[in-house]
Amino acid sequence: MDLDALTKHSAFHAKPDGLILQYGTAGFRTKAEHLDHVMFRMGLLAVLRSKQTKSTIGVMVTASHNPEEDNGVKLVDPLGEMLAPSWEEHATCLANAEDQNLQSVLMDISEKVAVNLHQDAFVVIGRDTRPSSEKLSQSVIDGVTVLGGQVHDYGLLTTPQLHYMVYCRNTSGQYGEATTEGYYEKLSKAFVELTGQAFCSGDDHRKLKVDCANGIGALKLREMKPYFSQGLSVQLFNDGSGGKLNYFCGADFVKTHQKPPQGIEMKSSERCCSFDGDADRIVYYYQDVDGHFHLLDGDKIATLISSFLKELVLEIGESLNIGVVQTAYANGSSTRYLEEVVKVPVYCTKTGVKHLHHKAQEFDIGVYFEANGHGTVLFSKAAETKIKQLAKELEDKKSKAAKMLENVIDLFNQATGDAISDMLVIEAVLALKGLTIQQWDALYMDLPNRQLKVKVADRQVISTTDAERQAVKPPGLQEAINDLVKKYKLSRAFVRPSGTEDVVRVYAEADSQESADSLAYEVSLAVFQLAGGVGERPQSGF
């Protein structure tokens, strides 16, 4: 390690005085102007992680669904997964080290995790379309090269595409070719094969309107359109040509506000969907003949896909266990439908894809979607091998179902949640089952719900248990929530601290929208009063 070069380069990426950041579920996120030193240091950390694992490591520069003026960074582990939890601590420590302590902190991490500093390192980088992303990516590259690591800059990519690239490189191409063309070809081939039979029935040009949140998804989906145009026609809105990233558009806006994004023309009963800024979330929606807006979020997606997979598994006659993983934000109606109608076990974990992903790995087929539309399906190696073996057998009903499952395996970006991948799976399932979006929506009726957030002086005053469904601290808060919940029918509510900012997130559901709104407001007031609320008190009316 060339310590003189490290000192020289780190001087160009000085840490602002007093700035402390935490590596959260999705890495570091804050205003872009505060992130230069973090990006440089994550380049350093990526080299250490690559040396330790003897694998390619990814670094993604994005702030996902955050406003355009924000940015962020996260590291991608060898099989396309989130950074290992033990390394999140190292990331936080390195990001917050004072400039004069950077060398010693770096050496300390190397010793703790037994990094062979003579080992080669290879890091791949991707970025979203934010104005700040190119410069911040260069800071990552600076960090990688100063420690002697090799780097490949993919430039503009969706977050899931970078996860895919890392997975491909570390499996010697067995998962796919580590190029955007390889990504497009793998997903499109599986989609066209899976839907071929359905489209032969005459419905050969299905149409979908896609809100791309004025983000990277628009660029990549436009490039990919020719690959699957024979099976699906997509019309892009909020494609970045005029609007601002994530501003009154995108999956997070649609889910949070429960209304359509600006910039998209909706006609009665048309299928529409929204990506978020880095294209790792997706939600569907439509407008009925009376002009009412209907949202089909991650819960609806999980139920559609789970029921389809369950049918195929029954068809092939293999005892593959399917499990669905949700968070506390999952609508109560979806949980009941999955358990009582689809008859698959449902598990609840803490919020954050890394928690769902870990739990989903326990099953032959693990389905996980957060209510916000971030999710995927994981197949165990044993299940994948068995399915592909069956797909090669004689052309009978069983092998046909196995072939469909094989296509599903190839369609899902199993490294992470992927809006493009999920969109193609959803469109395939709807086509094969002959479902309209209204029929899909009618599988079960969501309980009305409301999400709010309360600004607090310090989010760490909130402590939770039971997959974040119960507040342990501050004293009296859970009791207050329990008393409020008793006032409403079919109701529940919970609070949890944000992973990135000093706010507390409030969720409430009840038998009517009026009751859900009222409960959310009253719980927000309790949080404000008992957990050190700052600024304006929560207001009723939404």
Side-chain angles (χ1 to χ4, degrees):
M1 184 183 295
D2 188 341
L3 297 181
D4 289 337
L6 176 62
T7 301
K8 177 184 174 184
H9 282 261
S10 64
F12 295 112
H13 306 282
K15 175 182 174 292
D17 290 337
L19 182 64
I20 302 294
L21 295 172
Q22 188 78 28
Y23 194 101
T25 301
F28 295 106
R29 286 186 193 170
T30 190
K31 299 299 180 192
E33 62 264 30
H34 300 319
L35 280 170
D36 178 68
H37 73 291
V38 173
M39 297 294 178
F40 173 72
R41 294 172 185 202
M42 289 308 99
L44 303 175
L45 191 72
V47 170
L48 296 188
R49 184 63 172 157
S50 178
K51 288 175 181 288
Q52 191 222 24
T53 60
K54 299 180 182 177
S55 306
T56 296
I57 295 296
V59 180
M60 185 69 200
V61 178
T62 182
S64 186
H65 56 279
N66 282 35
E68 189 172 271
E69 56 271 19
D70 290 358
N71 217 318
V73 60
K74 65 176 180 178
L75 271 64
V76 178
D77 254 1
L79 294 182
E81 297 172 295
M82 301 290 186
L83 182 65
S86 60
W87 277 73
E88 292 179 10
E89 297 174 21
H90 301 318
T92 298
C93 188
L94 191 62
N96 294 322
E98 296 304 325
D99 290 336
Q100 65 270 23
N101 299 328
L102 184 58
Q103 287 185 16
S104 61
V105 170
L106 205 59
M107 293 305 295
D108 185 51
I109 294 170
S110 300
E111 290 172 11
K112 281 181 178 175
V113 296
V115 172
N116 176 5
L117 295 174
H118 299 292
Q119 174 69 38
D120 290 339
F122 196 86
V123 178
V124 294
I125 298 173
R127 68 176 190 270
D128 69 12
T129 55
R130 292 164 200 271
S132 59
S133 289
E134 186 171 5
K135 182 176 182 295
L136 291 175
S137 289
Q138 191 56 50
S139 299
V140 176
I141 293 170
D142 202 13
V144 173
T145 53
V146 76
L147 286 191
Q150 289 184 282
V151 63
H152 179 83
D153 183 9
Y154 277 102
L156 292 167
L157 285 182
T158 69
T159 295
Q161 284 177 332
L162 183 75
H163 285 259
Y164 167 88
M165 302 304 173
V166 173
Y167 199 175
C168 289
R169 285 176 176 271
N170 287 317
T171 52
S172 303
Q174 291 178 18
Y175 185 67
E177 182 188 336
T179 63
T180 50
E181 291 79 13
Y183 170 92
Y184 297 151
E185 287 171 0
K186 180 184 179 184
L187 268 63
S188 298
K189 180 175 181 288
F191 173 74
V192 171
E193 283 186 10
L194 183 59
T195 54
Q197 182 182 359
F199 293 131
C200 286
S201 65
D203 186 12
D204 60 351
H205 212 64
R206 296 170 65 87
K207 295 181 180 178
L208 175 68
K209 291 185 171 180
V210 185
D211 157 33
C212 296
N214 291 313
I216 182 66
L219 298 180
K220 297 306 172 181
L221 190 54
R222 184 177 288 113
E223 288 176 0
M224 191 176 179
K225 278 171 67 174
Y227 289 82
F228 58 75
S229 58
Q230 68 190 83
L232 178 67
S233 171
V234 294
Q235 188 177 1
L236 308 188
F237 295 84
N238 296 320
D239 63 358
S241 58
K244 193 175 179 183
L245 179 70
N246 294 324
Y247 187 68
F248 289 108
C249 61
D252 188 62
F253 173 84
V254 173
K255 170 63 178 171
T256 303
H257 295 275
Q258 299 185 40
K259 64 181 182 181
Q262 288 185 3
I264 190 168
E265 300 171 19
M266 287 182 67
K267 294 178 182 176
S268 174
S269 303
E270 285 183 327
R271 281 194 325 286
C272 305
C273 69
S274 286
F275 295 175
D276 66 339
D278 66 339
D280 66 0
R281 296 184 185 184
I282 185 171
V283 294
Y284 270 68
Y285 46 93
Y286 69 97
Q287 187 172 280
D288 65 24
V289 291
D290 297 320
H292 296 135
F293 175 76
H294 294 256
L295 173 68
L296 292 86
D297 62 9
D299 298 335
K300 291 276 187 178
I301 293 169
T303 54
L304 177 74
I305 291 171
S306 299
S307 58
F308 178 66
L309 293 173
K310 179 76 180 290
E311 288 173 13
L312 292 180
V313 167
L314 289 172
E315 196 80 56
I316 65 173
E318 294 293 326
S319 56
L320 300 176
N321 64 347
I322 302 176
V324 179
V325 189
Q326 297 183 325
T327 71
Y329 286 107
N331 195 279
S333 291
S334 73
T335 309
R336 281 191 290 275
Y337 180 83
L338 285 163
E339 291 178 335
E340 297 171 10
V341 180
V342 184
K343 297 192 183 305
V344 293
V346 181
Y347 299 85
C348 186
T349 71
K350 291 172 65 176
T351 303
V353 174
K354 61 184 178 184
H355 302 297
L356 290 101
H357 193 94
H358 180 72
K359 185 66 180 178
Q361 289 175 316
E362 297 179 10
F363 307 97
D364 292 323
I365 304 175
V367 181
Y368 74 82
F369 276 88
E370 293 185 289
N372 62 28
H374 193 172
T376 191
V377 176
L378 304 180
F379 291 81
S380 71
K381 284 298 176 190
E384 186 175 333
T385 301
K386 186 64 179 176
I387 288 164
K388 291 189 174 182
Q389 179 185 333
L390 286 169
K392 291 177 182 175
E393 294 180 358
L394 295 172
E395 286 296 321
D396 58 11
K397 207 171 182 182
K398 180 186 283 191
S399 64
K400 181 180 173 184
K403 180 62 181 173
M404 292 170 78
L405 275 171
E406 185 179 30
N407 290 144
V408 172
I409 291 170
D410 289 338
L411 252 179
F412 272 113
N413 187 342
Q414 294 188 63
T416 184
D418 183 340
I420 294 176
S421 165
D422 294 343
M423 177 193 79
L424 292 176
V425 173
I426 291 163
E427 290 299 313
V429 174
L430 292 176
L432 288 162
K433 294 176 75 69
L435 290 175
T436 64
I437 192 166
Q438 298 96 321
Q439 290 169 324
W440 170 21
D441 191 27
L443 291 177
Y444 68 86
M445 192 67 67
D446 271 328
L447 281 169
N449 58 86
R450 178 65 64 187
Q451 293 184 46
L452 299 174
K453 58 184 180 181
V454 182
K455 289 185 179 180
V456 293
D458 179 8
R459 67 183 183 274
Q460 294 184 7
V461 301
I462 298 273
S463 177
T464 64
T465 187
D466 186 25
E468 302 178 309
R469 291 176 288 191
Q470 296 283 315
V472 178
K473 292 190 302 186
L477 179 57
Q478 187 58 50
E479 289 76 9
I481 294 171
N482 293 344
D483 289 341
L484 292 169
V485 166
K486 289 175 186 174
K487 294 167 55 179
Y488 302 94
K489 294 178 181 177
L490 299 176
S491 64
R492 70 183 181 98
F494 68 90
V495 302
R496 55 175 288 272
S498 165
T500 55
E501 54 185 328
D502 282 323
V503 300
V504 175
R505 303 194 184 280
V506 174
Y507 177 88
E509 63 183 38
D511 65 333
S512 70
Q513 191 62 56
E514 184 181 9
S515 293
D517 290 348
S518 181
L519 177 57
Y521 162 66
E522 292 184 80
V523 172
S524 296
L525 271 182
V527 170
F528 190 87
Q529 292 162 356
L530 297 170
V534 295
E536 189 177 348
R537 289 168 63 86
Q539 302 292 312
S540 61
F542 308 107

